[in-house]
Amino acid sequence: MKTRVFSGARPTGRQHIGNYLGAIQNYVALQNSGEFDCLYCIVDYHALTTMEEVGVSHLRGNIIDMAADWLAAGLDPNKATIFVQSHVPQVTELMLCLSMVTPIGQLMRSPSFKEKVKHHPDNVNYGLLGYPVLMAADILLYKAEVVPVGEDQLAHLELAREIVRRFNYHFGPTFPEPQPRLTSFPRVMGIDGKYKMSKSLDNYIELAADEPTTRELVGQMVTDPTRRLRTDPGHPEICNVYTLHRFFSPPARVAAVEQGCRSAALGCVECKAMLADDMNAQLAEFRARRATFSEDYIRDVLNEGAKKAAPLAEATLLEVKGKMGLA
Ligand code: SF4
């Protein structure tokens, strides 16, 4: 039997370069490796924990846009299960069951809870506190054994593993302890060069942006801050433009950029124009494929994904309820 992988992502709408290099590429690689049974979930309930960020009226559209980008980037509904969290409602019941073995103190000490409280002091809701329990339920509902995570998600996954240990101790062996699969993805900085690329910071380049928009945004990217004059030699290792060249440009061009930058033979305007060309070339196929998807097709994919996930969810929930004396 293949090892089961689960990963969830909040519906942030159209995906940006950072999402692609940081997560989506990895999803596609896991799916295509043939070693894993992959479940990829758009976690809409999680989005509601910070409603002010998402805007409820955008939620449905964001789900469709995100799924369109996933599919255009190579996720294949015939190889992976692609679905929306709330379409498999057993997750909420499992979350309630798991909450019985989750100490509240641990949730309150969670660094990300404290961070969210700092950013949303007017809406410190119960859903926010229970976020890690819902995340555990997402994973355990499908008895996933592997979860691709970035360093910043490790603490939540550790909490999920503790929930497993407590549940198994009280009610007998039920869940495998999900193992993290650390993705060695790059930290993609935004066009401001200061912060990680993010929608909330408005420093992103969408995968599906058209060619002129991509060119314009690349043109706005902050470069090596020590290079003040065109004649100053640059330091590609601290330049975000160079980082993206390494992902979007052919090796010969990457080498030429590095050399031209260090020797000051290459100016930043020209360097960015080359990057924009390479990004547009690399993303052309993605954009063409994306344009062929109708909203109905995407909804069908998500509905079929939920139908595939539901029997797994139902079996787990029945087992859990039986062990907890509920069925
Ligand atoms: Fe960055 Fe390119 Fe300018 Fe060098 S030449 S500082 S790599 S933009």
Side-chain angles (χ1 to χ4, degrees):
M1 227 166 72
K2 290 182 180 178
T3 303
R4 185 163 292 152
V5 169
F6 177 92
S7 189
R10 290 159 68 107
T12 49
R14 286 161 68 116
Q15 302 289 276
H16 55 63
I17 302 291
N19 301 132
Y20 177 65
L21 296 174
I24 303 170
Q25 252 190 351
N26 188 40
Y27 285 2
V28 176
L30 290 171
Q31 165 202 274
N32 289 344
S33 72
E35 288 172 49
F36 302 105
D37 170 18
C38 299
L39 289 108
Y40 296 130
C41 182
I42 299 177
V43 290
D44 51 351
Y45 279 132
H46 284 287
L48 290 177
T49 58
T50 50
M51 277 182 287
E52 53 285 342
E53 251 174 39
V54 187
V56 172
S57 58
H58 299 295
L59 197 51
R60 284 198 187 91
N62 281 354
I63 290 170
I64 297 297
D65 276 333
M66 187 161 164
D69 282 346
W70 280 8
L71 295 169
L75 284 192
D76 180 347
N78 295 312
K79 295 182 183 168
T81 306
I82 304 161
F83 66 107
V84 178
Q85 183 185 34
S86 66
H87 294 180
V88 187
Q90 289 88 343
V91 73
T92 54
E93 208 172 339
L94 182 62
M95 181 197 177
L96 184 65
C97 294
L98 297 178
S99 71
M100 307 305 171
V101 292
T102 309
I104 198 166
Q106 209 162 355
L107 297 175
M108 293 184 80
R109 284 193 299 274
S110 152
S112 67
F113 175 65
K114 289 183 183 166
E115 183 76 19
K116 290 265 164 59
V117 169
K118 216 191 289 171
H119 286 113
H120 307 281
D122 300 331
N123 184 17
V124 182
N125 59 66
Y126 170 70
L128 203 56
L129 183 69
Y131 192 106
V133 191
L134 182 56
M135 182 175 148
D138 284 326
I139 301 163
L140 302 180
L141 192 59
Y142 307 102
K143 298 198 176 181
E145 295 149 284
V146 171
V147 181
V149 281
E151 297 266 358
D152 54 340
Q153 287 289 310
L154 270 179
H156 280 162
L157 188 61
E158 188 46 42
L159 182 55
R161 287 157 54 83
E162 282 181 37
I163 290 173
V164 167
R165 290 194 283 271
R166 269 195 220 104
F167 190 95
N168 288 351
Y169 173 77
H170 286 291
F171 303 108
T174 308
F175 299 113
E177 273 187 43
Q179 303 298 320
R181 185 180 166 105
L182 270 178
T183 46
S184 58
F185 58 76
R187 188 178 159 82
V188 181
M189 305 302 285
I191 59 174
D192 53 16
K194 271 199 226 155
Y195 303 104
K196 195 174 157 183
M197 190 174 283
S198 150
K199 281 217 155 169
S200 54
L201 296 174
D202 198 19
N203 63 0
Y204 59 97
I205 303 174
E206 284 178 353
L207 285 171
D210 59 24
E211 293 195 1
T213 306
T214 302
R215 194 170 298 285
E216 189 188 323
L217 291 171
V218 170
Q220 292 172 19
M221 283 177 74
V222 171
T223 65
D224 171 3
T226 67
R227 195 174 185 197
R228 298 213 162 81
L229 301 172
R230 167 69 181 77
T231 47
D232 289 341
H235 306 84
E237 67 280 3
I238 57 166
C239 178
N240 198 22
V241 175
Y242 178 70
T243 305
L244 291 186
H245 266 298
R246 286 171 49 209
F247 291 104
F248 289 101
S249 302
R253 176 163 274 181
V254 177
V257 165
E258 180 176 9
Q259 204 205 7
C261 177
R262 289 195 196 286
S263 65
L266 178 67
C268 294
V269 173
E270 196 188 340
C271 183
K272 289 179 185 179
M274 293 193 301
L275 174 62
D277 286 346
D278 292 339
M279 283 174 70
N280 283 331
Q282 282 250 358
L283 293 171
E285 199 184 318
F286 163 90
R287 290 167 182 167
R289 201 177 311 134
R290 193 186 195 283
T292 65
F293 299 144
S294 68
E295 189 171 328
D296 284 349
Y297 168 72
I298 294 165
R299 286 195 191 286
D300 282 351
V301 167
L302 296 173
N303 290 339
E304 285 306 309
K307 276 190 209 158
K308 252 164 79 183
L312 303 173
E314 194 51 41
T316 303
L317 193 60
L318 263 180
E319 183 186 354
V320 165
K321 289 171 74 173
K323 286 183 171 168
M324 295 181 90
L326 293 168

